[in-house]
């Protein structure tokens, strides 16, 4: 089994809530798995950016939204796991999904968590599922630890989406039942070996400011797991090496201060794969 974090992709339309909607409306409440259908009235949402797809529009809070077409496909199959809450939109029939299927399936023996100062759960540093606790016929679910902000789907959901040609989801974040503890340890060894190789092969080191000058000259720079380079438009891209030994590229809104404190060295420019 594979599990994915449910995300609308960059090509999905953006929605925004009408300013007249009361702060007391259920859409502004926490979605933790409790039913909302009996207290729900359709709030008004508008299109902020049309983009390419509208099967799975993006909404600021991260609550999943689907089109009527998607509802007609999904609801008959996974009605026991979700509520489809109608939205008022001037052009489209849209629904917000309230996932009521909350499963206790975190493998705490392999997961790493960060606690608050009072010793309460804050977030996962590393999250691992106990797949034996996820029923085979599951399509969508939440876990109690992150129910407010995160929805998970299984490979059954992904197959259903692909079967019907639905567009606009990002299935890049994967949790795989085949990724056993032994494979995890092997991955960690390979990752550390890759970092050690980078460290051994580095040349002359220089400061962040000097690295920026080199990038403006068309060079790429690296420091440990980090890489930086400019694209053909002069835009800055930053990547970090993932445990899968792939560079995860992105354009930063701001420069993380930690990068300004590192020592950098020159490397060959990479192809930026998103």
């Amino acid at each position: 089994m594979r599990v994915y974090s449910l995300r609308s992709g960059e090509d999905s339309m953006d929605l925004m809530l009408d300013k007249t909607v009361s702060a007391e409306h259920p859409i502004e409440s926490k979605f933790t798995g409790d039913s909302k259908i009996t207290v729900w009235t359709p709030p008004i949402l508008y299109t902020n950016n049309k983009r390419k797809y509208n099967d799975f529009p993006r909404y600021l809070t991260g609550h999943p939204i689907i089109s009527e077409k998607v509802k007609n496909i999904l609801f008959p199959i996974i009605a026991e796991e979700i509520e489809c809450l109608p939205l008022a939109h001037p052009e489209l029939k849209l629904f917000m999904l309230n996932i009521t299927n909350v499963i206790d399936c975190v493998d705490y023996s392999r997961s790493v968590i960060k606690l608050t100062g009072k010793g309460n759960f804050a977030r996962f540093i590393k999250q691992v599922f106990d797949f034996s606790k996820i029923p085979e016929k599951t399509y969508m679910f939440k876990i109690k630890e992150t129910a407010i902000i995160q929805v998970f789907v299984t490979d059954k959901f992904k197959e259903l989406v692909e079967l019907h040609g639905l567009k606009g989801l990002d299935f890049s974040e994967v949790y795989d039942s085949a990724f056993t503890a032994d494979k995890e340890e092997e991955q960690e060894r390979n990752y550390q070996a890759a970092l050690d190789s980078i460290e051994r092969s580095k040349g002359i080191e220089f400061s962040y400011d000097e690295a920026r000058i080199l990038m403006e000259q068309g060079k790429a720079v690296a420091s440990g797991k980090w890489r930086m380079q400019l694209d053909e438009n002069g835009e800055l891209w930053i990547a970090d090496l993932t445990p899968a030994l792939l560079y995860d590229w992105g354009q930063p809104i701001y420069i993380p201060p930690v990068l300004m404190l590192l020592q950098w060295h020159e490397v060959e420019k990479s192809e930026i794969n998103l």
Side-chain angles (χ1 to χ4, degrees), residues 33-67:
D34 297 329
S35 174
K36 295 185 182 294
I37 194 72
T38 59
V39 297
W40 188 266
T41 56
I44 301 172
L45 276 79
Y46 291 103
T47 300
N48 187 44
N49 193 319
K50 281 193 173 182
R51 301 189 189 275
K52 189 175 181 180
Y53 304 120
N54 60 20
D55 288 339
F56 299 93
R58 297 198 302 178
Y59 180 58
L60 184 61
T61 63
H63 301 326
I65 293 178
I66 60 174
S67 67

Side-chain angles (χ1 to χ4, degrees), residues 15 27 40 42-43 45 65 85-89 92-96:
L15 298 175
I27 196 173
W40 188 266
L45 276 79
I65 293 178
L85 309 174
L87 303 171
H89 187 277
L92 303 170
K93 287 187 177 181
L94 301 173
F95 300 83
M96 181 167 285

Side-chain angles (χ1 to χ4, degrees), residues 222-268:
S223 180
K225 69 173 185 175
W226 298 99
R227 283 195 174 216
M228 298 191 300
Q229 64 187 55
L230 303 183
D231 63 18
E232 62 274 11
N233 298 316
E235 299 288 338
L236 175 64
W237 289 79
I238 298 176
D240 67 321
L241 185 65
T242 68
L245 303 184
L246 299 172
Y247 280 99
D248 183 17
W249 290 95
Q251 288 187 288
I253 299 174
Y254 67 95
I255 306 300
V258 65
L259 299 189
M260 300 181 185
L261 302 176
L262 298 177
Q263 291 293 300
W264 299 83
H265 59 274
E266 185 178 340
V267 293
E268 291 187 10

Side-chain angles (χ1 to χ4, degrees), residues 79-93:
E80 294 183 356
E81 299 178 353
I82 63 173
E83 291 178 339
C84 290
L85 309 174
L87 303 171
H89 187 277
E91 301 170 3
L92 303 170
K93 287 187 177 181

Side-chain angles (χ1 to χ4, degrees), residues 110-127:
R110 295 172 60 194
S111 298
V112 179
I113 65 172
K114 183 176 179 61
L115 300 177
T116 65
K118 295 182 178 180
N120 298 319
F121 174 86
R123 63 181 176 87
F124 285 105
I125 297 173
K126 181 178 73 172
Q127 181 180 337

